[in-house]
Amino acid sequence: MSMKKTLRAATAGDLPGGARGARKQLTRERLLDAALTLMSAGNSFPGLSLREVTREAGVVPTAFYRHFRDMDELGLALVEECGLTLRRLLREVRKAGVPTTDIIRHSVAIYWQYVRAHPRHFRTAASERHGGSPTMRQAIRTEVEHFVREMAQDLRMLGYRADLPSSALEMICTLVVNTMLNAASDILDLPPDQPQLAREMEASFVAQIRLIFLGAAQWRADGGGAV
Amino acid sequence: MSMKKTLRAATAGDLPGGARGARKQLTRERLLDAALTLMSAGNSFPGLSLREVTREAGVVPTAFYRHFRDMDELGLALVEECGLTLRRLLREVRKAGVPTTDIIRHSVAIYWQYVRAHPRHFRTAASERHGGSPTMRQAIRTEVEHFVREMAQDLRMLGYRADLPSSALEMICTLVVNTMLNAASDILDLPPDQPQLAREMEASFVAQIRLIFLGAAQWRADGGGAV
DNA sequence: TGTTTCAGTGAACAAGTGTTGACAAACGAT
DNA sequence: ATCGTTTGTCAACACTTGTTCACTGAAACA
């Protein structure tokens, strides 16, 4: 009966314990990986074709449907993966502490290195954040909002600007995150053998973040201020 | 001979005086317009097909080659058009004056209205700035750099932070422009009948710009500061 | 051990793609 | 008025695309 069928499928197929589920998840990851590689090679997601992805992954086109209904579903999985990478980044920077000048420079250095370590995830995130299909755009937007909220909570726990409401902290973090993602795109477009340009860009990035926190230190909730 | 040919082509074809050049430029604009429309309808540029564009423009596919060598060339023309729109925006905001709190609010209001008046240009610019083909990305980057430099010059002429070097002013303007373009993308993704959300978003945008200028007012070239 | 379930294969399809070449008609220059 | 130039059209090509169906073989279960 159909009940029996679904039950078996649940026990054998979904759980990664068996060799069967492991093999499935492996080719699933190969598909995601192929898409990621193709995207960071110049193509943008809506420009990818299903066959192209399967070709790069080394499977026959029809095998695609065993893992995703269509390309949009793969896109969402991709976004989720990028979000995970972002989350790990936050966990790594979290040790840095309150953003004073030196700590900003330090955090930026971590970020820099992190972006270079996960170029495809960051290129994808930056690429599909505003471009691409509205579906993917919305998914990334949600992911970024989560990230911003988490970052704001971190600042709060560190006692940073305890007088400000959460909305203000989130506004500040939004600015920071936008600057981060813009910078990531810039980093990844650098010719790989231009350390001079890279240093300049990093310095400019540090300056921007510094300026933001300079403004944040002066921020008044009521809209007053020196400007 | 070929000399004669090129001469005639130069006098008759390129100059928009005759009815011939006018007709050509008209369908050229129809092609650009079609691409712009399709892009703001959910497609991203690399997802557009040549035939799709010509269909939307109301011409036969082969007519495309009379105007552009391939889609990339059309993309570059599109970027140029977007850059022109940005330039006009700057000319309009230029009357606003030195960025104090009220003037920021005013400028943002102008910007808001401007984005809503040219949704397709801004969606395209935001969309292809980080996504899309590297060719188009580079073109937009150049266009944005021009814009930033112009804006920095404006600030300088207004006597804003006359003590800072141009590089610092440009860094500040880069931050502003990035924030602007991010906001544009957010605006255009709003459901059209949510004035409450729109107001909140505009307020957040004003706050971000305000915070940037708050930081800019405190900025010291040597890297010192309150933070 | 025998049966079922299912990830991956292979062939085939209708539809859409970029690009080519020859051709018609309108225009500009002579 | 004539002739070359040029914009746009038509027909056709060699491919690629997404999706379908029946299939194979091996793992998971009984």
Side-chain angles (χ1 to χ4, degrees), chain A residues 180-197:
Chain A
M180 278 169 47
L181 291 179
N182 281 331
S185 176
D186 289 345
I187 297 171
L188 297 174
D189 272 346
L190 272 181
D193 51 353
Q194 293 277 5
Q196 180 57 28
L197 274 181

Side-chain angles (χ1 to χ4, degrees), chain B residues 5-21:
Chain B
K5 277 168 71 174
T6 29
L7 207 81
R8 285 200 188 158
T11 52
D14 288 352
L15 293 184
R20 186 135 211 90

Side-chain angles (χ1 to χ4, degrees), chain A residues 105-163:
Chain A
R105 192 173 295 134
H106 179 222
S107 302
V108 165
I110 295 179
Y111 180 62
W112 215 254
Q113 177 180 351
Y114 197 78
V115 169
R116 293 217 112 108
H118 307 272
R120 303 178 313 168
H121 282 179
F122 277 91
R123 158 105 2 261
T124 302
S127 190
E128 301 306 315
R129 186 147 102 94
H130 301 124
S133 62
T135 309
M136 220 158 155
R137 202 159 54 214
Q138 187 53 45
I140 292 192
R141 204 185 298 269
T142 305
E143 210 75 41
V144 169
E145 279 172 11
H146 281 167
F147 186 78
V148 163
R149 205 161 300 146
E150 235 177 286
M151 189 173 171
Q153 277 186 4
D154 275 12
L155 286 188
R156 166 127 298 160
M157 284 191 180
L158 287 171
Y160 178 77
R161 295 297 321 256
D163 53 319

Side-chain angles (χ1 to χ4, degrees), chain A residues 39-198:
Chain A
M39 285 186 61
S40 73
N43 310 85
S44 88
F45 186 76
L48 288 186
S49 74
L50 185 149
R51 290 181 107 104
E52 213 175 345
V53 173
T54 58
R55 210 179 302 138
E56 172 82 17
V59 277
V60 91
T62 48
F64 181 92
Y65 297 100
R66 304 290 182 195
H67 303 271
F68 307 100
R69 193 181 315 279
D70 48 26
M71 283 292 285
D72 271 336
E73 199 169 302
L74 181 144
L76 292 186
L78 226 52
V79 170
E80 201 173 346
E81 208 177 287
C82 292
L84 229 133
T85 299
L86 273 181
R87 236 55 77 74
R88 276 187 306 225
L89 160 67
L90 199 53
R91 223 173 296 148
E92 218 166 309
V93 175
R94 198 164 286 166
K95 315 162 190 170
V98 192
T100 64
T101 302
D102 287 348
I103 291 181
I104 286 180
R105 192 173 295 134
H106 179 222
S107 302
V108 165
I110 295 179
Y111 180 62
W112 215 254
Q113 177 180 351
Y114 197 78
V115 169
R116 293 217 112 108
H118 307 272
R120 303 178 313 168
H121 282 179
F122 277 91
R123 158 105 2 261
T124 302
S127 190
E128 301 306 315
R129 186 147 102 94
H130 301 124
S133 62
T135 309
M136 220 158 155
R137 202 159 54 214
Q138 187 53 45
I140 292 192
R141 204 185 298 269
T142 305
E143 210 75 41
V144 169
E145 279 172 11
H146 281 167
F147 186 78
V148 163
R149 205 161 300 146
E150 235 177 286
M151 189 173 171
Q153 277 186 4
D154 275 12
L155 286 188
R156 166 127 298 160
M157 284 191 180
L158 287 171
Y160 178 77
R161 295 297 321 256
D163 53 319
L164 289 185
S166 289
S167 60
L169 280 184
E170 284 174 14
M171 183 271 285
I172 295 169
C173 290
T174 300
L175 208 43
V176 171
V177 170
N178 284 340
T179 305
M180 278 169 47
L181 291 179
N182 281 331
S185 176
D186 289 345
I187 297 171
L188 297 174
D189 272 346
L190 272 181
D193 51 353
Q194 293 277 5
Q196 180 57 28
L197 274 181

